[in-house]
Amino acid sequence: MTGTDTDYRERLAAEAKRVRDSGDLGRSEPLIRLFDFLVERSLDGRIPREIEIAQDVFDKTHDFDGMLDASVRVYIHRLRRKLAEHYARAPGDPDWISIPLGEYRVVLASPPAADEAAEQPEPPVAPPKRSINRVWLALIALALVNALAWIIYVDRSSGDDVAVRSNLWRPIADNKRPTLVVLGDYYIFGDAADGIVVSRLMRDFAINSREELDRYLMLNPDKVGSYVDVNLHYLPVSVGRGLRSLLPIVNAATNASGERPGVETMSDMKPEIFKAANVVYLGFLSGLGALQDPLFRASGFKVGDNFDELIDKATGRRFKSDWGVVADGKVPQRDYGYIASMLGPTGNRILIIAGTRDPAVAQMAEIAADQEQLKAIDAKSGGGAFEALFEVRTLGNLNLGSSLVLARPIRAESIWQPERPSGAGNSSHPAN
């Protein structure tokens, strides 16, 4: 081994560590495993084949067929973009790691000279991603700052004390844990038809994270290079309206804890928080994230063809929003709102204030702070964990009113345990 070879490998290893430690590769474990694998093979002077990467990085079997499974190529493409974005943010680095087109290896090179860089196209995705991010992050930050301002300045001794004694809020008022308001936000991705400039932002209810976008691209390789992760999320309009209704009563309910409630988006939530704090979720039913599975294990409802429809498990009765019917805001329509209170995994309390669409979410936030509406729920829920369903009548985004369809107890115990395989022990759905 020559001194030149040794120096190159040391520089490659050091630069790889800097890239990994920067966090610019994101949180995708498969992507990071691929990067480490390519660096290791390049340090050994070996260029792996596609099937070797498929088996060693992605746990594919010996019968892997690259013609049918594009997963390796999808991740190589994404890793190449992540590296380009990293160096676009750090143009002064003395060494750059890149993946040559058509090859499964990383190489170390000096950054292009200024005159060369001027002649080359901009790194794909990175420039539009940065400009779009600033706008959207500013909007989200403004919403959160507004929410925090309400938390700080709302009079904590306002007229919400009666509502706090309701079955919905009493468990939080009686419990000294911190409380977190969690907002249901949504992942959106970019469409770069030319493979370089993101021309539009897209929302697909089947793609709710960058990992799900990766899986979609594996199954639809024709979209590789067009559909790209731009690291953006958005909040429904109703969440801002709902916060204004909810925060005064959240403040009143958390007086006993001595801690002001926090505000977070669902995409930023770590699973452990659902054990450490009381949680008040506000948003669409489709934005429940990690709360979705435990809620619908406890609930008497299941999701229908999509989150615009709930089906009663016992009777089969369907409750479906009219949102999919185009009415131009001139014909009254129907949404459904949902409120639930259930026990968390460590005795904490989790409240769900949600709806199928914007009018229902805003209406449920108002109902959750209305003592007369809460009394009506209490009269039917029987105390303890419960769920309530409301029909919300709308005209466009204008609420015309709502009516309580049902309120009932829900199973409160063991819903945080993994489902047992059928036939293992007793029922996999333990009762209260």
Side-chain angles (χ1 to χ4, degrees):
M1 180 182 298
T2 67
T4 301
D5 289 340
T6 301
D7 177 64
Y8 175 85
R9 288 172 181 153
E10 288 177 350
R11 287 167 51 210
L12 176 58
E15 182 61 16
K17 184 177 186 303
R18 279 195 292 271
V19 171
R20 192 187 304 106
D21 291 347
S22 72
D24 286 346
L25 296 182
R27 294 173 291 182
S28 169
E29 292 184 6
L31 193 71
I32 294 171
R33 286 201 307 269
L34 175 61
F35 178 72
D36 290 342
F37 180 85
L38 294 180
V39 169
E40 179 184 343
R41 290 295 184 271
S42 297
L43 290 172
D44 291 342
R46 297 168 50 200
I47 301 178
R49 295 177 299 149
E50 183 177 3
I51 189 170
E52 184 182 352
I53 297 173
Q55 293 174 343
D56 291 356
V57 177
F58 301 107
D59 297 323
K60 302 292 184 179
T61 58
H62 69 281
D63 58 352
F64 169 81
D65 185 345
M67 297 295 292
L68 301 176
D69 187 337
S71 55
V72 173
R73 297 190 297 278
V74 167
Y75 272 94
I76 287 287
H77 175 83
R78 183 178 173 195
L79 180 56
R80 186 179 288 116
R81 283 179 174 269
K82 287 289 185 183
L83 290 169
E85 292 168 11
H86 167 76
Y87 289 112
R89 286 189 285 269
D93 283 5
D95 290 319
W96 286 26
I97 289 177
S98 64
I99 303 173
L101 289 174
E103 298 185 28
Y104 296 134
R105 66 188 179 106
V106 296
V107 297
L108 190 67
S110 299
D115 56 344
E116 294 176 359
E119 296 174 0
Q120 296 177 354
E122 295 178 332
V125 181
K129 172 181 174 181
R130 291 198 303 275
S131 60
I132 295 171
N133 269 347
R134 281 197 294 269
V135 174
W136 278 88
L137 291 178
L139 292 175
I140 292 174
L142 180 61
L144 293 180
V145 168
N146 185 52
L148 291 172
W150 274 91
I151 289 175
I152 293 170
Y153 293 112
V154 166
D155 181 3
R156 296 170 71 91
S157 61
S158 62
D160 296 300
D161 293 341
V162 175
V164 166
R165 293 196 291 272
S166 69
N167 191 30
L168 180 65
W169 296 105
R170 189 188 309 112
I172 287 183
D174 292 345
N175 146 348
K176 300 295 192 293
R177 296 173 188 260
T179 296
L180 189 64
V181 178
V182 178
L183 311 178
D185 60 336
Y186 287 91
Y187 175 78
I188 53 179
F189 56 94
D191 183 11
D194 61 0
I196 298 175
V197 177
V198 174
S199 58
R200 60 175 178 162
L201 298 176
M202 301 182 65
R203 167 74 182 128
D204 186 324
F205 287 106
I207 302 175
N208 294 305
S209 68
R210 62 185 66 184
E211 289 74 23
E212 290 184 6
L213 178 60
D214 284 342
R215 287 194 288 272
Y216 175 86
L217 292 175
M218 290 179 195
L219 298 173
N220 299 272
D222 59 304
K223 297 298 184 182
V224 173
S226 175
Y227 287 2
V228 294
D229 171 37
V230 288
N231 193 30
L232 293 179
H233 291 78
Y234 77 91
L235 290 171
V237 173
S238 57
V239 170
R241 294 168 56 195
L243 275 173
R244 182 167 183 166
S245 300
L246 275 187
L247 288 174
I249 193 168
V250 173
N251 274 305
T254 56
N255 263 330
S257 72
E259 293 189 32
R260 295 185 185 277
V263 178
E264 277 287 1
T265 56
M266 181 60 79
S267 62
D268 288 328
M269 291 291 288
K270 301 293 186 293
E272 53 269 21
I273 198 66
F274 295 116
K275 298 189 296 184
N278 298 315
V279 172
V280 180
Y281 170 82
L282 175 65
F284 287 173
L285 284 168
S286 55
L288 283 163
L291 292 176
Q292 178 183 322
D293 180 66
L295 172 64
F296 284 106
R297 289 181 63 190
S299 172
F301 295 107
K302 62 181 179 180
V303 179
D305 292 335
N306 53 52
F307 281 93
D308 288 326
E309 181 180 50
L310 293 177
I311 302 173
D312 188 90
K313 295 175 184 177
T315 66
R317 184 181 176 189
R318 294 173 179 267
F319 303 90
K320 187 171 184 177
S321 167
D322 293 336
W323 178 85
V325 178
V326 178
D328 297 327
K330 299 177 181 178
V331 178
Q333 292 180 289
R334 173 181 55 199
D335 280 345
Y336 284 96
Y338 181 87
I339 295 177
S341 170
M342 65 182 185
L343 201 64
T346 61
N348 54 319
R349 182 61 55 160
I350 294 178
L351 308 186
I352 308 293
I353 299 168
T356 50
R357 292 290 162 176
D358 279 309
V361 173
Q363 184 78 355
M364 291 308 98
E366 292 181 12
I367 286 174
D370 185 320
Q371 56 182 284
E372 294 304 319
Q373 296 272 16
L374 292 173
K375 285 180 182 177
I377 295 174
D378 287 355
K380 294 187 176 183
S381 65
F386 74 90
E387 64 182 354
L389 183 72
F390 286 80
E391 181 179 291
V392 180
R393 297 175 298 283
T394 70
L395 185 64
N397 283 327
L398 174 67
N399 288 354
L400 300 180
S402 63
S403 55
L404 179 61
V405 177
L406 63 83
R408 62 189 174 192
I410 57 175
R411 188 179 64 250
E413 297 176 0
S414 304
I415 60 173
W416 297 94
Q417 300 300 321
E419 293 274 13
R420 285 186 272 179
S422 61
N426 296 323
S427 171
S428 60
H429 297 275
N432 270 345

